[in-house]
């Protein structure tokens, strides 16, 4: 067996050296290698046009350096090299060479369009971030950048393919970045780019992005696995050679023309299995996988029968993705078997066309069609392949930044479950989906008129977690009252949540207006303001225009049905007031004072204690209330206790509200704020409500492990109503980290809600 057979799949492009002593790269030499690769590929491309793009990028980026000291244009050539390995067309390679010029140089869309055409310029603009715009929050910026990219993807899929090439090279050279940037970029890659690559079927890019990200997110875990694999390599080579030779000999004897590859599972796949099953690497036996590639689909099933005759199949580990392809177009037959050595291993069986699609994903759709006039735009007949992009764009129109990212991670990146309609149609939904998600995936009217559901012929509750192979039937009625607000907590898919919100937006406008007005007034009241302070025409009009609302009632209604949060609306009103003309300075001062009063008063008290500044007091005892366990980023208030110092509560804490309403406590409240620089961790508690099922606590522990959460304690109890409550006490740095933990927990199958103590 050749050495390359037992390693990971050959990476896209040529990975650069990452040694700190490596000499700066030579861009001209790199481009010459790219030209040679294109010539050897056999694709008919205009090398003169590609050379012109390189010259434009080299001049535009002149004087700019990368962290390793190499000219910046080396990154552009590397991205183009990866793009060429994907098998993309001439315009794609040119766009990859120019992908950063709009963002980082003085060149414009028109400059690129004049020399290389509008399609190339549109791709480059689609890859470019909205870095020159101002945003009120990091989440808003991320959502706008991702929304822009999705819109560009919907027009031309090459945008995301080049973006993945760009990110892949950046991850390969991440060793030169600061530790903070290594972790933030790796987390972004793991949460967004690797899953998008998976959704596009680009397994080679996905695996490498995951392994590179893991290297920085958990370097100790990564090293443990790679060291263990290195120690086992000689043993694995012998095992894989023997198995491969046995399979090849049997297939030759049966007259089956097949090519067999063997490989070690990639590091992140092993890592996930170790943490999911609480094993060390010595407890993972199926480290090896074999791939049998044949010419026809009947040959796939013929080989499957031969493999099962040679080795003992493991029950429940057979998957037929040929008859039921994955949404990312992936097709193969998978089976796990056990050899005479007692070691399990996976065998994947596919045709050559399926293999190309599995390796390159959506790019394979064009990889072998060069010269036929194929282009990468979304063409007629391809709409189904890109329906998920359209759904994401539809969902973001009804969501604020936080909801959008939460829904996107579930819809796009979560594991999937495949269920059937009574007519036999296959419906794929995110893992943990319920009959509500199924109903809305059929049609909005089916969901809005749903009055019950049956699964496999039995009536089930709305929060029933669908399993692979379930046959789902939805009962509807024209007299149905419509969706309940509780459904927003039960539905797992972003599209279902969006459609529920749309129903409330349309059918419950008056209720939403009242509810939204109250929510905004409450949010403003926390800042010492009233609605009258911010409802002047000069303040409200620009906000309504920016959010596409016709009047203030539309804003109230959006807050009421969940289209925008009250906090976001209040912040936008405050920021708009700050930008008014001098004749409105009194309004600006009033709002600014209300928003910053507690912080300024607290700073006068001097030194922070446990990250808390207490207004008017110094060197006092500070303790965090156990009823609501506040963390940095929460809106907080202090209560002077008898003999135990100042107790810190969240302002939305139920106990705090009771204390505020009790007579005689007026003088015991004190303004407190978080210090500017906080390095401590804070203990807080979340409660997870979910359907009582076997393995729920294990799934929760696995998720917490996978994100390296610092867990203090974990306990679970059965409420007796088919619902289990799991209480987790953990340490976090701030509310942003806590929201991330809660969002990951909420994606666990069967979990209906994740809430904090005190609410």
């Amino acid at each position: 067996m050749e050495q390359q057979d037992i390693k990971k799949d050959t990476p896209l492009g040529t990975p650069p050296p990452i040694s700190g002593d490596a000499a700066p790269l030579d861009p001209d030499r790199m481009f010459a290698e790219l030209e040679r690769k294109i010539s050897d590929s056999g694709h008919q491309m205009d090398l003169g046009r590609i050379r012109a793009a390189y010259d434009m990028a080299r001049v535009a980026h002149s004087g700019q350096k990368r962290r390793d000291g190499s000219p910046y244009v080396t990154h552009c050539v590397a991205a183009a090299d990866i793009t060429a390995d994907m098998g993309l067309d001439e315009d794609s390679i040119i766009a990859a060479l120019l992908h950063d010029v709009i963002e980082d140089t003085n060149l414009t869309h028109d400059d690129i369009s004049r020399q290389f055409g509008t399609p190339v310029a549109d791709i480059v603009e689609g890859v470019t971030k909205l870095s020159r715009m101002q945003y009120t929050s990091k989440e808003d910026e991320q959502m706008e950048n991702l929304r822009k990219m999705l819109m560009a993807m919907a027009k031309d899929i090459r945008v995301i393919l080049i973006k993945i090439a760009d990110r892949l090279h950046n991850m390969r050279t991440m060793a030169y970045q600061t530790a903070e940037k290594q972790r933030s970029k790796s987390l972004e890659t793991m949460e967004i780019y690797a899953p998008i690559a998976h959704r596009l079927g680009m397994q080679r890019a996905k695996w490498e992005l995951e392994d590179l990200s893991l290297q920085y997110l958990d370097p100790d875990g990564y090293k443990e696995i790679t060291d263990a694999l290195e120690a086992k390599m000689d043993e694995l080579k012998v095992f894989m050679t023997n198995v491969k030779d046995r399979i090849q000999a049997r297939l030759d004897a049966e007259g089956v023309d097949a090519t067999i590859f063997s490989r070690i599972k990639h590091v992140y796949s092993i890592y996930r299995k170790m943490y999911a099953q609480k094993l060390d690497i010595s407890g993972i036996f199926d480290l090896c996988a074999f791939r049998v590639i044949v010419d026809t689909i009947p040959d796939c099933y013929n080989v499957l029968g031969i493999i099962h005759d040679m080795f003992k199949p493991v029950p429940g580990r057979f998957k037929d993705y040929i008859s039921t392809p994955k949404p990312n177009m992936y097709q193969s037959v998978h089976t796990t078997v056990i050899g005479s050595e007692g070691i399990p291993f996976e065998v994947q069986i596919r045709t050559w066309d399926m293999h190309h699609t599995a390796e390159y994903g959506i790019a394979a759709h064009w990889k072998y069609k060069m010269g036929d006039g194929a282009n990468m735009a979304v063409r007629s007949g391809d709409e189904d392949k890109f329906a998920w992009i359209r759904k994401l764009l539809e969902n973001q129109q009804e969501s604020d930044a936080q909801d959008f990212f939460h829904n996107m991670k579930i819809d796009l990146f979560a594991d999937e479950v495949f269920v059937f309609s009574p007519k036999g149609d296959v419906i794929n939904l995110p893992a943990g989906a319920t009959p509500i998600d199924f109903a809305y995936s059929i049609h909005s009217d089916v969901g809005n008129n749903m009055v019950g559901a049956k699964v496999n012929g039995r009536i089930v509750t709305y929060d029933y977690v669908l399993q692979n192979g379930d046959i789902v039937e939805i009962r509807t009625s024209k007299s149905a009252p419509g969706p309940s607000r509780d459904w927003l907590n039960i539905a797992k898919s972003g599209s279902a949540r969006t459609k529920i919100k749309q129903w409330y937006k349309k059918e419950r406008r008056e209720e939403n207006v009242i509810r939204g007005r109250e929510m905004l007034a409450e949010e403003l009241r926390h800042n010492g303001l009233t609605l009258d302070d911010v409802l002047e025409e000069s303040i409200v009009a620009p906000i309504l225009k920016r959010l596409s609302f016709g009047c203030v009632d539309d804003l109230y209604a959006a807050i009421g049905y969940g289209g925008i949060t009250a906090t976001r609306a209040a912040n936008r009103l405050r920021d708009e007031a700050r930008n008014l003309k001098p004749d409105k300075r009194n309004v600006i001062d009033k709002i600014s004072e209300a928003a910053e009063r507690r912080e300024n008063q607290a700073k006068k008290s001097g030194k922070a204690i446990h990250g808390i500044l207490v207004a008017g007091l110094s060197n006092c005892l500070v303790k965090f209330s156990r009823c609501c366990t506040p963390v940095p980023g929460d809106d907080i208030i202090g209560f002077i206790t008898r003999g135990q110092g100042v107790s810190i509560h969240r302002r939305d804490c139920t106990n705090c509200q009771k204390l505020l309403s009790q007579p005689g406590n007026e003088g015991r409240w004190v303004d407190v704020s978080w210090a500017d620089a906080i390095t401590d961790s804070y203990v807080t508690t979340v409660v997870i409500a979910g359907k009582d099922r076997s393995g729920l606590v294990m799934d929760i522990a696995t998720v917490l492990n996978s994100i390296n959460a610092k867990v203090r304690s974990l306990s679970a109890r059965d409420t007796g109503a088919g619902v289990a409550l799991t209480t987790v006490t953990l340490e976090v740095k701030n509310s942003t980290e806590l929201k991330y933990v809660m969002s990951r927990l909420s994606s666990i199958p069967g979990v209906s809600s994740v809430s904090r103590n005190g609410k």
Side-chain angles (χ1 to χ4, degrees):
M1 180 178 60
E2 297 180 1
Q3 179 76 6
Q4 66 182 15
D5 282 346
I6 55 87
K7 291 188 177 180
K8 290 190 305 180
D9 299 87
T10 304
L12 296 166
T14 304
I18 59 172
S19 168
D21 299 326
L25 301 173
D26 181 352
D28 290 338
R29 183 178 299 175
M30 291 176 63
F31 183 73
E33 291 293 330
L34 174 62
E35 285 184 309
R36 186 158 37 252
K37 178 179 290 187
I38 294 171
S39 297
D40 293 344
S41 71
H43 297 316
Q44 297 301 314
M45 297 191 189
D46 186 347
L47 291 177
R49 188 165 173 256
I50 294 174
R51 162 68 70 170
Y54 168 65
D55 290 338
M56 175 182 276
R58 180 171 48 79
V59 172
H61 291 293
S62 177
Q64 297 177 1
K65 300 285 186 181
R66 302 205 85 213
R67 287 280 185 142
D68 64 354
S70 300
Y72 188 87
V73 74
T74 57
H75 166 65
C76 305
V77 179
D81 188 55
I82 295 171
T83 303
D85 270 355
M86 291 179 182
L88 303 190
D89 62 353
E90 181 182 311
D91 278 358
S92 300
I93 295 173
I94 291 172
L97 288 166
L98 300 172
H99 76 270
D100 272 336
V101 296
I102 293 180
E103 183 175 341
D104 295 334
T105 77
N106 292 325
L107 290 179
T108 65
H109 180 281
D110 290 341
D111 295 330
I112 300 172
S113 181
R114 276 193 297 271
Q115 186 164 353
F116 299 104
T118 300
V120 171
D122 287 346
I123 295 171
V124 175
E125 188 172 62
V127 175
T128 302
K129 292 184 296 186
L130 305 175
S131 55
R132 297 175 183 173
M133 296 180 65
Q134 298 297 317
Y135 300 94
T136 58
S137 71
K138 183 67 175 177
E139 284 182 331
D140 281 344
E141 180 180 0
Q142 284 182 314
M143 186 182 78
E144 288 302 320
N145 280 321
L146 189 55
R147 184 182 66 86
K148 176 178 180 288
M149 187 174 69
L150 289 171
M151 292 179 67
M153 283 169 61
K155 296 177 182 177
D156 196 324
I157 199 65
R158 289 174 292 187
V159 169
I160 189 57
L161 299 180
I162 292 171
K163 188 66 179 176
I164 287 173
D166 167 52
R167 178 52 62 102
L168 183 54
H169 181 254
N170 279 331
M171 289 304 302
R172 287 174 178 173
T173 56
M174 194 57 63
Y176 298 105
Q177 299 293 342
T178 64
E180 180 181 354
K181 190 165 187 178
Q182 286 173 349
R183 184 167 180 83
S184 65
K185 288 296 182 182
S186 296
L187 185 61
E188 183 180 58
T189 299
M190 193 71 84
E191 288 193 330
I192 296 179
Y193 290 100
I196 286 181
H198 172 69
R199 191 61 179 79
L200 292 170
M202 303 170 65
Q203 296 306 308
R204 292 174 70 186
K206 168 186 175 282
W207 288 341
E208 189 175 356
L209 288 171
E210 287 176 338
D211 284 357
L212 289 169
S213 299
L214 179 63
Q215 189 174 350
Y216 299 107
L217 292 173
D218 188 356
D220 293 337
Y222 180 87
K223 188 175 187 303
E224 177 187 346
I225 293 171
T226 53
D227 287 350
L229 288 177
E230 189 65 31
K232 284 175 168 280
M233 191 57 67
D234 291 341
E235 176 186 344
L236 292 172
K237 285 181 182 179
V238 173
F239 171 75
M240 295 172 73
T241 299
N242 291 338
V243 172
K244 180 182 175 184
D245 290 346
R246 287 181 62 190
I247 296 175
Q248 188 71 66
R250 177 66 180 271
L251 294 181
D252 289 343
E254 297 285 348
V256 179
D257 185 13
T259 302
I260 304 173
F261 297 101
S262 54
R263 65 180 177 88
I264 306 295
K265 289 192 173 182
H266 71 295
V267 177
Y268 182 66
S269 176
I270 298 171
Y271 179 88
R272 285 186 61 184
K273 191 163 189 176
M274 286 172 60
Y275 279 90
Q277 300 183 14
K278 304 297 182 184
L279 300 171
D280 59 25
I281 196 165
S282 62
I284 298 179
F285 297 105
D286 55 341
L287 294 172
C288 309
F290 297 84
R291 189 171 292 151
V292 182
I293 305 177
V294 294
D295 294 326
T296 67
I297 291 178
D299 282 342
C300 292
Y301 294 104
N302 187 17
V303 170
L304 175 67
I306 293 171
I307 295 295
H308 282 183
D309 184 51
M310 294 178 65
F311 308 101
K312 184 176 181 179
V314 177
R317 297 296 299 272
F318 168 72
K319 297 176 182 177
D320 186 352
Y321 295 120
I322 294 180
S323 61
T324 307
K326 289 186 177 183
N328 62 6
M329 302 175 295
Y330 178 86
Q331 288 183 287
S332 284
V333 171
H334 291 195
T335 185
T336 300
V337 296
I338 300 177
S340 57
E341 301 89 346
I343 299 176
F345 56 90
E346 184 180 62
V347 181
Q348 301 172 358
I349 309 166
R350 62 179 69 148
T351 66
W352 282 105
D353 284 343
M354 295 173 190
H355 178 64
H356 297 319
T357 299
E359 292 287 291
Y360 298 100
I362 195 66
H365 190 60
W366 293 270
K367 184 175 176 67
Y368 300 96
K369 295 180 175 62
M370 295 288 210
D372 295 335
N375 61 68
M376 304 290 285
V378 178
R379 301 166 297 177
S380 60
D382 290 335
E383 291 84 355
D384 289 345
K385 298 183 180 71
F386 304 101
W388 57 276
I389 302 175
R390 186 184 66 252
K391 288 180 180 179
L392 283 178
L393 288 170
E394 291 172 353
N395 291 348
Q396 66 86 24
Q397 295 174 4
E398 299 292 334
S399 305
D400 63 13
Q402 185 175 345
D403 279 348
F404 174 61
F405 274 104
H406 174 75
N407 293 339
M408 180 190 68
K409 289 173 184 176
I410 293 175
D411 283 358
L412 185 55
F413 310 150
D415 292 334
E416 294 170 318
V417 59
F418 296 87
V419 297
F420 296 91
S421 71
K423 295 182 179 179
D425 297 325
V426 180
I427 307 294
N428 65 290
L429 297 166
T434 66
I436 295 173
D437 298 289
F438 179 89
Y440 279 103
S441 72
I442 301 300
H443 196 278
S444 297
D445 288 342
V446 176
N448 294 336
N449 294 319
M450 181 170 67
V451 294
K454 286 185 177 181
V455 174
N456 303 326
R458 298 175 58 187
I459 296 175
V460 297
T461 58
Y462 287 155
D463 61 354
Y464 171 84
V465 178
L466 299 175
Q467 306 296 320
N468 279 319
D470 280 348
I471 301 174
V472 187
E473 179 184 355
I474 303 299
R475 298 166 53 212
T476 61
S477 171
K478 292 183 179 180
S479 60
S484 163
R485 289 192 184 274
D486 292 338
W487 290 11
L488 291 171
N489 298 322
I490 299 174
K492 290 298 180 184
S493 65
S495 58
R497 292 166 56 86
T498 297
K499 290 174 181 178
I500 294 169
K501 290 178 181 179
Q502 288 173 340
W503 185 87
Y504 272 96
K505 177 182 179 180
K506 180 180 179 181
E507 303 293 336
R508 294 287 188 270
R509 178 175 171 80
E510 291 184 7
E511 174 188 330
N512 291 330
V513 169
I514 296 172
R515 177 184 171 89
R517 181 184 174 90
E518 292 174 350
M519 293 170 66
L520 180 59
E522 180 65 22
E523 185 63 33
L524 291 170
R525 190 154 49 245
H526 288 163
N527 293 284
L529 298 171
T530 66
L531 287 172
D532 292 338
D533 293 326
V534 297
L535 289 186
E536 292 189 22
E537 180 67 20
S538 58
I539 299 174
V540 175
I543 300 298
L544 297 178
K545 182 178 180 181
R546 195 173 304 149
L547 297 176
S548 301
F549 294 131
C551 61
V552 176
D553 280 355
D554 290 343
L555 174 62
Y556 291 153
I559 296 172
Y561 71 76
I564 183 174
T565 65
T567 300
R568 185 182 178 202
N571 289 342
R572 283 180 177 259
L573 289 167
R574 180 197 62 209
D575 292 342
E576 187 63 31
R578 284 176 172 167
N579 294 326
L580 289 178
K581 296 179 180 180
D583 62 332
K584 297 293 183 181
R585 184 63 59 188
N586 61 323
V587 177
I588 298 173
D589 291 343
K590 186 173 183 179
I591 295 177
S592 297
E593 178 186 354
E596 300 172 3
R597 180 176 54 206
R598 292 189 302 275
E599 180 181 355
N600 292 336
Q601 288 178 345
K603 287 181 178 179
K604 294 178 182 179
S605 67
K607 184 178 179 181
I609 302 170
H610 301 308
I612 295 292
L613 294 167
V614 182
L617 297 174
S618 60
N619 297 323
C620 63
L621 178 65
V622 169
K623 70 169 187 175
F624 294 92
S625 65
R626 294 183 179 179
C627 56
C628 59
T629 57
V631 297
D634 290 334
D635 191 9
I636 54 176
I637 191 170
F639 182 74
I640 302 175
T641 64
R642 291 181 172 87
Q644 298 185 41
V646 177
S647 178
I648 308 300
H649 290 262
R650 299 202 318 263
R651 284 184 176 266
D652 60 0
C653 169
T654 53
N655 284 347
C656 176
Q657 299 298 322
K658 292 177 182 177
L659 289 170
L660 280 168
S661 63
Q662 290 177 1
N665 286 338
E666 294 84 357
R668 299 174 64 182
W669 293 102
V670 60
D671 284 331
V672 295
S673 64
W674 298 103
D676 291 334
I678 299 176
T679 59
D680 296 338
S681 293
Y682 294 81
V683 177
T684 191
T685 301
V686 296
V687 179
I688 306 153
K691 187 177 181 62
D692 190 12
R693 63 172 175 83
S694 176
L696 176 61
V697 174
M698 178 63 74
D699 288 347
I700 291 171
T702 298
V703 167
L704 292 171
N705 254 331
S706 68
I707 59 178
N708 294 321
K710 297 179 181 178
V711 178
R712 287 281 195 90
S713 67
L714 187 152
S715 62
R717 63 183 178 89
D718 181 4
T719 63
V723 176
L725 294 180
T726 304
T727 302
V728 180
T729 301
L730 68 161
E731 293 182 22
V732 295
K733 293 289 186 182
N734 49 47
S735 59
T736 301
E737 181 181 347
L738 179 59
K739 287 177 183 177
Y740 171 69
V741 173
M742 294 173 68
S743 70
R744 290 293 299 269
L745 291 171
S746 66
S747 65
I748 296 173
V751 169
S752 57
S753 69
V754 181
S755 58
R756 296 180 64 182
N757 268 4
K759 282 193 175 183

